Amino acid sequence: MPVPRSTPPEAASRGAGRYAPSPSGDLHLGNIRTGVLAHLCARSTGRPFRWRVEDLDRVQEGAAERQRADLESLGVRIDPPVLVQSARTDRFAAHISALAAAGLTYECYCPRREIQAAPSAPHTPPGAYPGTCRDLDPSTREAARARLRENGREPAIRLRTEHEEVEVADDLLGPVRGVVDDFVLRRGDGVVAYNLAVVVDDGESGIDQVVRADDLASSAPRQAHLAGLLGFAVPRYVHVPLVLSPTGARLAKRDGAVTLRELTALGFDVWAWLGESCGFGPWDGMERALAEFDLARLDRRPVTFTPPEA
């Protein structure tokens, strides 16, 4: 069932780490910390480090370039090739078609509010799809398609699963387990869903180490399951702690001076904070960070950041 790869097999066989931000705006300090840690994890294990632009959804003009410039100014060295998701829609469509040909997909006509209000199946996580459209008869499906067409939309495409529990290995969290529901592969607006895009991009570019914030850990079992179906090796995961605002919520740009440019203008020592927040004491640049970094020593607790006053 796997479709032909668009990258040479020798490139995929070497393995690599990556950072894959969405270009919806400038990186805040939490994003920067995750990107730097992804680079350190890759380099400390002898892996190339790649960059991916996840621009299938919200895009702010110039954000992708600023994001990369910010991390490169901190000494992050990026190896080619750079993947841009919006240029790879044919690859995503090919994999969805392969899954459909194997009988592993079905159309879903449910509005999101109905899914959120419906009770989940036993043992599935909150918000898991209850299977409303899984086994509809042909006439019901056609009527549902017609209703969506009237509103200028199309059905979402879901993966047909057996709702089994999948376990993945995480180098910080240990085993991460989750029941895999019938998750979305392509949304009702025609945009490929994150879970499909990230698996195809990682698989076709030979990514075997995925470092990202730990609020995404719950998606790893779904992605590992899909990777197996598509013939890709499951990467090694490293879900690092979030950076929080003083309120305990995930740090965001609305919290104040949190971007690299804002913090630099205020004289804030970003490198010293990065080292201390990771449990190593202050760093003074990438060279020292690479010399001292040891994943086993990384502080596994969430980090609270109070933005400095202007």
Side-chain angles (χ1 to χ4, degrees), residues 120-133:
S120 298
H123 312 301
T124 58
Y129 184 64
T132 308
C133 298

Side-chain angles (χ1 to χ4, degrees), residues 101-188:
L104 292 174
T105 68
Y106 63 91
E107 293 181 348
C108 176
Y109 319 99
C110 299
R112 180 173 296 186
R113 63 180 180 277
E114 289 185 9
I115 297 171
Q116 292 173 335
S120 298
H123 312 301
T124 58
Y129 184 64
T132 308
C133 298
R134 182 181 173 103
D135 297 309
L136 299 178
D137 61 79
S139 61
T140 302
R141 289 191 181 281
E142 184 51 45
R145 289 188 199 105
R147 287 195 300 272
L148 289 177
R149 282 195 298 269
E150 290 176 359
N151 295 314
R153 293 181 66 83
E154 55 186 307
I157 302 297
R158 289 187 178 273
L159 184 69
R160 187 182 294 271
T161 71
E162 299 301 322
H163 295 83
E164 65 268 41
E165 185 176 66
V166 172
E167 179 179 297
V168 298
D170 187 285
D171 288 341
L172 276 183
L173 304 181
V176 175
R177 302 179 183 88
V179 174
V180 179
D181 66 336
D182 292 1
F183 59 90
V184 170
L185 302 174
R186 192 194 70 201
R187 299 182 338 207

Side-chain angles (χ1 to χ4, degrees), residues 17-21 27-43 48-51 67-68 70-72 74-78 209-213 238 240-241 243 250 271 273-274 278 283 286 289-290 293:
R18 52 80 160 171
Y19 187 51
L27 300 175
H28 60 62
L29 191 58
N31 306 137
I32 291 168
R33 182 177 186 268
T34 299
V36 168
L37 284 172
H39 181 256
L40 293 172
C41 284
R43 297 304 181 197
F49 182 70
R50 304 225 165 91
W51 186 271
Q67 289 175 345
R68 179 168 175 173
D70 280 352
L71 284 192
E72 287 183 325
L74 292 171
V76 170
R77 181 167 54 86
I78 296 165
Q209 182 188 68
V210 171
V211 180
R212 57 192 182 187
V238 184
V240 299
V243 177
R250 179 174 180 162
W271 265 117
W273 181 88
L274 287 171
C278 292
W283 286 332
M286 182 61 73
L290 285 168
F293 180 72

